[in-house]
Amino acid sequence: RSSAMSSAVAQALPPSILALFAPRPPPPFKPAPEKRKMPRYGTVAHLVSEFEEPSATPAPKPAAVVESKEARRARKAEKRKAKGEADLEAKVEAYDPNEDSKIKGDPYKTLFVARISYDTTEAKLKKEFEQFGPIRRIRLCFNTETGKPRGYAFVEYEQERDMKTAYKQGDGKKIDGRRVLVDVERGRTVRNWKPRRLGGGLGSTRAAKAPKNAPAAAPPGYGGDAGGYGGAGG
């Protein structure tokens, strides 16, 4: 009965399924591999005469020194640092605000305004600072390569007393969402003055932070040798 059922099931299956149960053909017969005759092992005594004398052997060349990744990075960083210092020194030597054709006006009537929003225009700046007195000229500084604003400007007043008033009352004034910082122009009023871009200035971002319990330093006087933020301009 089971054989009859198996035969019936086999007849019901498709040929593709029946092929899975078909026996594989027997493997082909192959004769045993032939053993090869290997040469006998010997010594190298008969080859000693072919060797060169040790005294005639040239000294080995020194191994090439491979620079590590860390050493390469340090070398490139030192090279960039030296180039930057050389460029900075050249710019410091060439810095002379009194000979700059872009700088005009009376330096003792000029106010330096920093931390200005990049969206602030000269008209907006004039509107905010002319409340301290009549303004003769405003120069908003831009990057000469990219044309983007540099975030600072110079405001020249008609009277020196108006500039002093703006210096005392305009610091921290909020313009276009940012509190500006004001100072006198020191490029032409302080001897040997250098702006921050040449390593000078008194910006707190480049100075070491004082201890929390240290007493606050007194603000520098107007035009004193202590310097301040103001660069050359007008």
Side-chain angles (χ1 to χ4, degrees), residues 150-170:
R150 305 193 65 165
Y152 64 89
F154 297 92
V155 181
E156 182 187 0
Y157 284 89
E158 294 285 350
Q159 302 295 330
E160 184 176 349
R161 64 174 181 271
D162 296 332
M163 187 279 298
K164 291 182 178 180
T165 303
Y167 171 70
K168 295 177 181 179
Q169 301 180 12

Side-chain angles (χ1 to χ4, degrees), residues 39-216:
R40 297 181 62 183
Y41 293 105
T43 62
V44 295
H46 63 287
L47 300 175
V48 173
S49 60
E50 302 294 334
F51 296 166
E52 66 180 2
E53 292 294 331
S55 59
T57 303
K61 296 181 180 181
V65 179
V66 180
E67 189 179 28
S68 64
K69 184 182 295 185
E70 291 75 13
R72 183 168 61 255
R73 288 178 179 174
R75 176 176 56 81
K76 291 183 178 180
E78 189 66 24
K79 185 177 180 181
R80 288 194 298 267
K81 181 180 177 182
K83 184 178 182 301
E85 292 177 352
D87 294 344
L88 179 61
E89 185 177 356
K91 291 179 180 179
V92 170
E93 290 293 332
Y95 176 71
D96 188 0
N98 295 309
E99 299 296 331
D100 193 340
S101 60
K102 296 181 181 179
I103 302 175
K104 302 177 181 179
D106 188 346
Y108 294 96
K109 298 179 182 179
T110 302
L111 185 74
F112 174 75
V113 185
R115 300 179 184 174
I116 302 174
S117 172
Y118 293 156
D119 299 327
T120 302
T121 61
E122 290 188 3
K124 176 68 173 180
L125 203 62
K126 182 177 181 180
K127 180 180 178 181
E128 295 292 337
F129 279 92
E130 66 181 357
Q131 60 179 295
F132 303 111
I135 294 176
R136 178 181 300 175
R137 183 185 297 107
I138 290 183
R139 184 167 74 93
L140 193 62
C141 298
F142 294 86
N143 190 309
T144 56
E145 296 179 357
T146 62
K148 296 181 180 180
R150 305 193 65 165
Y152 64 89
F154 297 92
V155 181
E156 182 187 0
Y157 284 89
E158 294 285 350
Q159 302 295 330
E160 184 176 349
R161 64 174 181 271
D162 296 332
M163 187 279 298
K164 291 182 178 180
T165 303
Y167 171 70
K168 295 177 181 179
Q169 301 180 12
D171 192 31
K173 188 177 183 63
K174 198 168 186 179
I175 303 175
D176 290 336
R178 295 198 63 178
R179 295 195 179 276
V180 299
L181 182 145
V182 301
D183 193 11
V184 297
E185 188 210 323
R186 301 184 183 270
R188 295 180 292 169
T189 58
V190 179
R191 187 177 181 182
N192 297 327
W193 170 259
K194 293 185 297 183
R196 289 187 61 188
R197 60 185 173 86
L198 298 181
L202 291 180
S204 59
T205 56
R206 295 192 181 184
K209 294 184 178 180
K212 293 183 178 180
N213 56 353

Side-chain angles (χ1 to χ4, degrees), residues 9-21:
V9 172
Q11 291 179 1
L13 294 176
S16 59
I17 300 299
L18 293 176
L20 299 176
F21 298 95

Side-chain angles (χ1 to χ4, degrees), residues 24-32:
R24 296 181 179 180
F29 174 77
K30 291 185 177 181

